[in-house]
Amino acid sequence: MFQTPVSDTGRPVASILCGLIGSGIAGSRSPQMHEGEARALSLPMVYRILDGEVMGYDAAGLPRLIPMLGAMGFDGINVTHPFKQDVIPLLDSLSPAAKALGAVNTILFEHGRTYGDNTDWSGYRAHFLAGLGQHKRAHVAMIGAGGAAAAVGYAHLDLGATRLTLFDPAQDRAKALAHRLAALFPAAQVRAAPTAQAAISGADGVVQTSPIGMLSHPGLPFDPDLLTADQWVSDIIYFPLQTALLAAAQAKGCATLTGGGMAVMQAAHAFALFTGTEPDSARMLRDFDRASAGAAA
């Protein structure tokens, strides 16, 4: 595991330079979360947004961008939609979780080498247990089969789901993810469904893991009339925190979970990798809730 050089007091020798790559991420709260916790711990950190829409890069530009960030002195970067899978061939090594999931959300730079990890799955797991852990979760439906979906599906199977049904308009992607997760959890039934209705019908709850509902991708990922009041709905989007899907699910009487806690917990785990220091995740959650309330006011 890569570690940031530290002094005799245990503090980093130099300031910590980190960032986030993705597309349509200008409103990300990652800088607030990381820099705010760093200040609380008296760690010198700078966290930058590197938005593909603003800087003019896409997946084809990553082979040039990733080495350039390392050469510029970045200690690490987070990776979000749509690059969590595209970065994998560009990295020197992967954590066991990133390798199993086929998705990376955290990259560390050290001595000219790159290391990819995944903190999405553990962050979502902790968040789900805190918010909806008391509900039935033997059969989970998942809408969306991108990089974040791999982490969320892995988390639910790790929590003991015996059935996981996936739907994505890109059927090949859904089938590929189902095949990967089934190989990791052979005791569970994991399959790709042909429609959202087929995935959701009979499930204990539904996880929304597509980008539909983000400010940059507005709309509904599926018809809320497919839901029943006894199902729970978890959305991993946190900008906006209250998505159109969650509002519609609440109107039907469903228990719901926003993506805020996942965003905080995955950030907390990434923060530990970037800095070599364990953050106060409870404080990060409180700070996130205050910022969300202020943004909504």
Side-chain angles (χ1 to χ4, degrees):
M1 180 67 64
F2 294 159
Q3 298 202 359
T4 303
V6 295
S7 67
D8 292 338
T9 65
R11 296 301 189 191
V13 171
S15 62
I16 304 158
L17 176 60
C18 302
L20 174 68
I21 64 171
S23 184
I25 55 172
S28 171
R29 292 182 184 169
S30 290
Q32 293 171 280
M33 289 190 286
H34 285 267
E35 292 182 350
E37 184 60 13
R39 283 193 297 272
L41 293 171
S42 300
L43 296 175
M45 174 185 279
V46 175
Y47 191 105
R48 294 291 184 236
I49 292 292
L50 306 167
D51 192 340
E53 288 189 358
V54 175
M55 296 174 62
Y57 69 86
D58 56 15
L62 294 177
R64 180 172 178 269
L65 177 67
I66 300 299
M68 181 176 69
L69 295 177
M72 290 173 63
F74 275 76
D75 295 287
I77 56 171
N78 287 129
V79 184
T80 191
H81 177 80
F83 303 133
K84 292 184 181 184
Q85 293 161 318
D86 294 317
V87 298
I88 289 178
L90 310 176
L91 305 178
D92 295 309
S93 60
L94 299 174
S95 71
K99 189 176 297 183
L101 292 167
V104 162
N105 81 321
T106 302
I107 298 174
L108 305 180
F109 300 96
E110 188 165 279
H111 305 308
R113 293 181 60 80
T114 51
Y115 172 82
D117 208 338
N118 190 301
T119 66
D120 282 331
W121 83 272
S122 56
Y124 178 84
R125 187 186 192 280
H127 173 49
F128 182 87
L129 283 176
L132 291 175
Q134 74 277 22
H135 292 271
K136 292 195 303 180
R137 54 180 186 272
H139 180 190
V140 176
M142 191 161 64
I143 307 300
V152 171
Y154 187 98
H156 273 290
L157 291 165
D158 184 71
L159 284 170
T162 56
R163 294 179 63 190
L164 179 67
T165 310
L166 321 177
F167 170 74
D168 192 289
Q171 282 288 291
D172 288 346
R173 182 164 63 181
K175 290 175 182 177
L177 178 56
H179 179 75
R180 181 186 304 122
L181 292 174
L184 294 171
F185 296 89
Q189 179 184 343
V190 185
R191 68 180 183 88
T195 64
Q197 180 176 9
I200 293 169
S201 179
D204 295 319
V206 182
V207 191
Q208 200 298 102
T209 57
S210 82
I212 304 303
M214 295 172 62
L215 288 183
S216 57
H217 296 79
L220 288 162
F222 61 86
D223 185 348
D225 286 339
L226 298 177
L227 297 169
T228 58
D230 60 341
Q231 292 176 314
W232 50 261
V233 178
S234 169
D235 199 327
I236 68 166
I237 291 170
Y238 73 94
F239 199 79
L241 196 59
Q242 179 74 349
T243 62
L245 175 64
L246 290 182
Q250 289 164 3
K252 293 185 72 71
C254 300
T256 61
L257 186 66
T258 72
M262 178 185 179
V264 173
M265 295 309 297
Q266 65 80 23
H269 295 174
F271 182 96
L273 293 173
F274 291 150
T275 66
T277 300
E278 286 296 325
D280 184 335
S281 57
R283 176 170 57 212
M284 292 180 73
L285 284 164
R286 290 193 299 270
D287 290 346
F288 185 91
D289 288 343
R290 280 195 293 269
S292 298

